[in-house]
Amino acid sequence: RRVREAVVSTQSTGRIKEEAERAKHYLDSSSEGPITGVVERELISVHMKTIVEMENSGVVYMLRNDKQEDLRCMYGLLARVDEGLSCMCNAMKVYIRECGKTLVDSEGDISNTIAYVQSLLDLKERFDLFLKNSFCNDNMFKQAICSEFEDIQNQNSKSPEYLSLFIDDKMKKGNKGLSEQELERVLDQTIVLFKFLQDKDIFERYYKQHLAKRLLNNRSISDDAEKNMISKLKTECGCQFTCKLEGMFKDVNISNTVNENFKSKCKNRSGEASSSAASSGSTVDLNVRVLTTGYWPLPPCKIVCNLPKEAEMAFKSFKKFYLEDYNGRQLNLQPHLGHADVHANFNHRKEGGEVTTKKHILQVSTYQMCVLMLFNRQVTYKYKDIVVESNIPEKELKRALLSLSVGRVQQRVLLKSPKSRDITGDDEFSVNDQFSSKLFRVKIQTALGSKGESDPERQETRQKVDDDRKHEIEAAIVRIMKARKEHEHNVLITEVTGLLKSRFLPSPSSIKNRIESLIEREYLVRSPNDRKVYMYLA
Amino acid sequence: TVDGRCKVREAVVSTQSTGYSINALIFSWRLGVVVQGQITREEFTNGLMALGCDSVDKLKSRVSQLDNDIRHPTKFKDFYQYTFTFAKDTGAKNLGIEDALRTWKIVLAGRFSHLEDWCTFIAQHDRRSITRDTWNLLLDFASTINSDLSNYDEEGAWPILIDEFVGWLRPRINTSTS
């Protein structure tokens, strides 16, 4: 069957050549064209659809099995007749669509986000090769490939998030040692996928979140690698998005300097007045990052929680120092970020009744630190009391407590009774004195999904994106109307869409919605003569 | 004269005793009444002068002819747009659904083939108020769009609420004709 197909192909080419030769010999040269035409029509056109779609030897088969040469042969053949290439191109499109669908359907499992994006990249690369080796860089095929990949990207609403997670994975330290060149190549490929995304603003939001985490937790490979990626994005979508990102880097650098100054000042102070050591809060080794509100993805309202006294004093001391230089600014602690190294003594009770003290350093989040420090005051706590004492938002508190008590076995620093995975008011927590670990420094993971958001979180993000979009659409409308003074409805919609296209695709109804809102707020008014024309009110 | 004014007030009250009626609305419109239920002295005197009524009898006969005032489409349009301002709370920007429905039923009676459907649609919609723009454009809709909605253009810059109405109405029309 496949052999038959290839043979048909070469036979056809052979036959065509034969007839052309024969025609040249026996007939007037003017007959060559028509005769070749007849042969082509008979051999190719009539049968091409069948040949292209043949199950075990058609285009799809060849694509699936990487038969680049055979495809090239067929391409050459079909190029001779009208509709030949579009026939082949359509078959290719169908195949890509199929591949895409399989991919999208299989990504149900969250831990597969990286694999999902990688498969997409691999698929694109395969077709880049086909384009080059089999389809002679034919523009029609090129465009068809692009449009199919665009569809695949935009069918899956999580594409923007997943793409950002993929890049996040590549940008983190300890990443299977990709060489600089390899990393560059992968990032360029991701840019191609980025271009296909319709919802670029959603990608931006996730990218910002993930970048912030990398910077704050010191997990980036290097500043240069990050900046390189950002400049690639800048080339694609302008600097509106990227300048905020650059602000984040600035903050980190300035923070490092401020930190150093603070520490040296503390050292000097504690050297001078040893009698008043208590006042400088120097029992805590503090490292501070100062974030400028506009640049970082921070929650809108202030989060408060009760810090342990020592931490509170350390922070106060820093605040005083900082505000001396930057008078007029407001510093707010962000307890949902940040981490702490806590010294812990566990009183192991051996079988014979002997008690030894095991020391560890626990690397925990700020919230976890607040919780743990409570146990210096009291041996057991009921959950509802911890809620009151710590003042930590309950969702975060539960997460912190669960990760300390019923998470991974090597991290069970606290005991919980009952041992269930959910928490109610009267559940009791106490220190797990029998805690042991081979490591001196024990890192406690918060049960944070590093791979993707939970669905409720996704909805929240989506809501924020929709709100932002409303503003962007309005801004676009006002900008256009201010310039034009008067504009017809459909033309306005087209222009607004064009203006926003590089960030997201606004639906005509969402634009209409904003127009109506602007009319209600008397920024726009309908022309008295024509309902379809809007006028700008200064 | 004091007498005259009292009598006029009676006449006005008696015409308005039909409650929220079209005549009451037209009368208020001609008088240029701004606040529903209250007529200022100025509105009263100037309005009556404009109507050419300097006696109670003239007023009575004039009131019975109020229909004429809105005969011409341009006049009606002006009147219709006025009723939005009249019906809503003075400070508010938009008109509450209840008042809107009440007013539509009076002023658009006989002028909008789908008035009943429209009122049903609005009553069960989750919008709680009507904007001036939507109010005004409903008249355009009522006067220009065919009963079978055949000439409705989805891209015709109609307010979204009217688009939604058409979407809601279309299947109902189709089932009743087929």
Side-chain angles (χ1 to χ4, degrees):
Chain A
R1 296 127 303 177
R2 181 190 67 80
V3 173
R4 196 196 312 145
E5 158 51 34
V7 167
V8 165
S9 182
T10 41
Q11 271 188 354
S12 305
T13 329
R15 290 290 285 132
I16 293 175
K17 279 212 185 104
E18 252 182 59
E19 285 299 323
E21 284 302 310
R22 200 167 293 150
K24 269 214 204 94
H25 281 311
Y26 299 120
L27 304 165
D28 201 70
S29 59
S30 65
S31 315
E32 182 181 343
I35 294 198
T36 330
V38 171
V39 175
E40 284 174 354
R41 202 172 54 245
E42 284 313 306
L43 288 178
I44 306 176
S45 296
V46 170
H47 301 291
M48 70 181 174
K49 199 157 190 299
T50 328
I51 295 179
V52 162
E53 290 174 4
M54 259 205 275
E55 179 122 0
N56 292 326
S57 54
V59 169
V60 172
Y61 175 86
M62 292 191 219
L63 287 170
R64 198 176 286 147
N65 294 290
D66 272 328
K67 304 280 178 204
Q68 292 184 2
E69 261 308 305
D70 291 351
L71 281 166
R72 213 238 217 101
C73 206
M74 185 182 270
Y75 178 86
L77 203 59
L78 293 175
R80 291 165 173 268
V81 295
D82 292 336
E83 302 301 308
L85 288 183
S86 13
C87 183
M88 192 174 183
C89 193
N90 285 336
M92 176 191 76
K93 281 168 90 157
V94 169
Y95 176 65
I96 301 181
R97 216 168 290 160
E98 221 182 83
C99 290
K101 190 167 187 307
T102 322
L103 212 57
V104 171
D105 288 343
S106 75
E107 69 69 32
D109 184 4
I110 284 228
S111 67
N112 263 336
T113 52
I114 311 296
Y116 168 78
V117 178
Q118 188 62 56
S119 311
L120 211 53
L121 288 175
D122 292 340
L123 188 66
K124 178 73 178 38
E125 204 179 323
R126 266 181 72 203
F127 276 88
D128 286 341
L129 286 174
F130 281 132
L131 185 63
K132 197 169 89 170
N133 299 336
S134 310
F135 303 135
C136 308
N137 285 317
D138 185 312
N139 208 30
M140 171 170 66
F141 283 77
K142 187 173 187 187
Q143 293 203 357
I145 294 174
C146 283
S147 112
E148 287 307 316
F149 272 90
E150 233 181 272
D151 282 348
I152 297 175
Q153 275 285 65
N154 295 316
Q155 257 163 46
N156 182 5
S157 62
K158 299 185 194 150
S159 291
E161 187 192 347
Y162 286 177
L163 191 59
S164 179
L165 281 171
F166 180 81
I167 300 174
D168 181 62
D169 184 66
K170 300 291 170 241
M171 287 298 200
K172 288 214 266 237
K173 282 184 203 168
N175 176 35
K176 331 274 175 158
L178 278 183
S179 76
E180 240 185 83
Q181 248 185 343
E182 286 169 346
L183 182 63
E184 181 80 16
R185 210 171 145 270
V186 167
L187 293 181
D188 281 335
Q189 285 180 309
T190 57
I191 292 285
V192 173
L193 284 188
F194 171 73
K195 278 202 259 214
F196 292 143
L197 280 179
Q198 201 176 79
D199 295 329
K200 293 193 172 69
D201 59 342
I202 301 186
F203 172 85
E204 284 176 17
R205 187 172 278 271
Y206 283 114
Y207 193 81
K208 202 171 173 187
Q209 269 177 32
H210 298 150
L211 175 64
K213 268 200 203 126
R214 292 199 293 275
L215 289 179
L216 291 179
N217 296 330
N218 253 326
R219 302 225 48 205
S220 302
I221 316 177
S222 75
D223 263 14
D224 280 342
E226 296 281 2
K227 293 207 173 139
N228 188 13
M229 186 63 194
I230 293 180
S231 72
K232 286 188 209 287
L233 289 171
K234 195 173 181 172
T235 320
E236 279 316 310
C237 57
C239 67
Q240 179 188 1
F241 161 51
T242 52
C243 22
K244 294 213 189 108
L245 302 183
E246 280 158 14
M248 287 199 243
F249 287 100
K250 239 193 340 182
D251 277 352
V252 171
N253 286 334
I254 296 180
S255 286
N256 288 338
T257 321
V258 169
N259 229 8
E260 272 170 38
N261 293 342
F262 175 61
K263 282 196 192 260
S264 52
K265 210 167 190 179
C266 276
K267 239 189 246 160
N268 292 342
R269 244 196 239 132
S270 60
E272 293 169 355
S274 49
S275 54
S276 58
S279 64
S280 68
S282 57
T283 50
V284 174
D285 179 13
L286 189 65
N287 286 302
V288 183
R289 282 249 174 73
V290 183
L291 313 177
T292 312
T293 333
Y295 298 148
W296 299 78
L298 296 170
C301 39
K302 205 168 161 193
I303 306 180
V304 285
C305 78
N306 292 341
L307 291 176
K309 226 184 331 145
E310 299 87 339
E312 182 80 51
M313 278 175 46
F315 175 54
K316 276 211 175 90
S317 161
F318 175 82
K319 204 166 170 176
K320 188 157 160 260
F321 160 78
Y322 184 84
L323 292 175
E324 272 168 16
D325 287 338
Y326 297 100
N327 196 5
R329 288 190 185 178
Q330 256 197 12
L331 278 187
N332 289 321
L333 194 65
Q334 303 288 308
H336 65 295
L337 300 171
H339 46 266
D341 286 354
V342 176
H343 289 273
N345 297 332
F346 295 94
N347 302 316
H348 263 228
R349 184 172 296 275
K350 286 219 183 113
E351 273 176 25
E354 206 189 311
V355 176
T356 49
T357 310
K358 291 261 176 170
K359 291 186 189 251
H360 288 282
I361 293 186
L362 305 175
Q363 291 181 289
V364 291
S365 70
T366 308
Y367 285 141
Q368 287 167 328
M369 170 201 67
C370 295
V371 168
L372 289 175
M373 295 294 278
L374 289 177
F375 290 93
N376 282 338
R377 291 195 252 147
Q378 214 171 285
V379 175
T380 3
Y381 278 93
K382 286 211 164 101
Y383 171 69
K384 57 189 183 190
D385 296 327
I386 302 185
V387 172
V388 172
E389 293 279 350
S390 68
N391 210 14
I392 296 175
E394 278 204 53
K395 187 168 125 211
E396 301 301 324
L397 179 57
K398 283 189 177 170
R399 217 188 228 169
L401 280 171
L402 286 176
S403 60
L404 288 168
S405 57
V406 296
R408 295 203 193 146
V409 179
Q410 316 95 301
Q411 293 176 186
R412 295 199 187 155
V413 174
L414 293 179
L415 292 169
K416 176 180 181 288
S417 116
K419 267 205 159 114
S420 56
R421 302 220 78 200
D422 52 279
I423 305 187
T424 51
D426 286 323
D427 287 2
E428 293 204 346
F429 290 89
S430 56
V431 175
N432 177 15
D433 271 314
Q434 298 303 108
F435 173 78
S436 75
S437 169
K438 280 183 269 179
L439 306 161
F440 175 58
R441 272 195 124 86
V442 183
K443 183 157 169 53
I444 311 281
Q445 308 269 19
T446 325
L448 205 60
S450 58
K451 295 285 196 281
E453 290 185 315
S454 64
D455 279 333
E457 283 172 333
R458 276 212 187 91
Q459 272 185 12
E460 248 190 80
T461 308
R462 196 59 218 236
Q463 185 60 47
K464 288 195 198 135
V465 168
D466 286 340
D467 288 341
D468 278 350
R469 284 183 178 182
K470 279 195 184 141
H471 289 130
E472 291 194 50
I473 295 176
E474 273 191 20
I477 297 173
V478 170
R479 213 168 111 188
I480 295 173
M481 289 304 297
K482 230 176 176 172
R484 306 282 196 175
K485 303 294 182 214
E486 216 176 272
H487 224 17
E488 199 259 341
H489 175 84
N490 286 322
V491 185
L492 178 62
I493 300 230
T494 313
E495 282 193 23
V496 169
T497 310
L499 214 61
L500 295 172
K501 185 166 58 131
S502 63
R503 306 209 4 100
F504 62 95
L505 195 66
S507 66
S509 64
S510 61
I511 302 179
K512 209 178 189 185
N513 197 307
R514 293 293 98 208
I515 294 177
E516 271 191 47
S517 173
L518 288 168
I519 293 179
E520 202 183 324
R521 285 139 59 200
E522 293 171 36
Y523 283 88
L524 297 179
V525 79
R526 287 184 203 261
S527 158
N529 309 318
D530 185 355
R531 149 173 60 83
K532 297 210 269 182
V533 173
Y534 304 108
M535 292 171 21
Y536 182 69
L537 291 176
Chain B
T1 64
V2 175
D3 232 287
R5 222 178 288 150
C6 283
K7 290 238 176 78
V8 169
R9 213 175 292 140
E10 263 169 44
V12 169
V13 165
S14 68
T15 55
Q16 292 194 334
S17 66
T18 40
Y20 204 69
S21 70
I22 188 131
N23 281 346
L25 289 170
I26 302 175
F27 191 67
S28 305
W29 169 58
R30 288 314 308 272
L31 253 49
V33 170
V34 169
V35 179
Q36 197 185 138
Q38 294 175 30
I39 304 182
T40 67
R41 190 202 216 98
E42 246 181 73
E43 288 165 354
F44 191 72
T45 9
N46 295 341
L48 287 184
M49 263 181 16
L51 289 177
C53 300
D54 53 5
S55 76
V56 174
D57 287 326
K58 276 209 187 146
L59 180 61
K60 277 195 179 143
S61 78
R62 188 67 182 76
V63 160
S64 60
Q65 297 168 358
L66 283 175
D67 283 355
N68 287 335
D69 289 17
I70 54 171
R71 196 150 303 228
H72 194 273
T74 330
K75 285 254 153 65
F76 182 77
K77 182 170 174 178
D78 196 44
F79 165 67
Y80 173 78
Q81 294 192 348
Y82 163 81
T83 55
F84 178 86
T85 320
F86 184 80
K88 71 173 174 63
D89 295 334
T90 327
K93 206 173 218 172
N94 297 336
L95 177 59
I97 292 288
E98 298 302 323
D99 291 330
L101 288 171
R102 195 160 55 121
T103 314
W104 272 323
K105 286 184 180 147
I106 300 179
V107 302
L108 287 181
R111 293 174 185 263
F112 182 17
S113 58
H114 289 297
L115 180 59
E116 213 181 297
D117 285 321
W118 171 256
C119 291
T120 314
F121 169 73
I122 290 291
Q124 50 96 78
H125 198 280
D126 53 14
R127 283 243 196 135
R128 293 287 89 215
S129 67
I130 301 290
T131 63
R132 185 183 291 275
D133 186 57
T134 307
W135 178 273
N136 289 348
L137 255 63
L138 187 65
L139 181 61
D140 278 45
F141 182 83
S143 0
T144 58
I145 299 297
N146 300 338
S147 263
D148 60 357
L149 305 177
S150 51
N151 60 340
Y152 184 78
D153 177 11
E154 262 81 22
E155 298 180 10
W158 294 103
I160 293 183
L161 195 56
I162 296 185
D163 283 337
E164 288 178 3
F165 173 63
V166 170
W168 175 89
L169 186 62
R170 267 227 171 90
R172 294 170 123 84
I173 297 184
N174 292 337
T175 48
S176 60
T177 48
S178 61

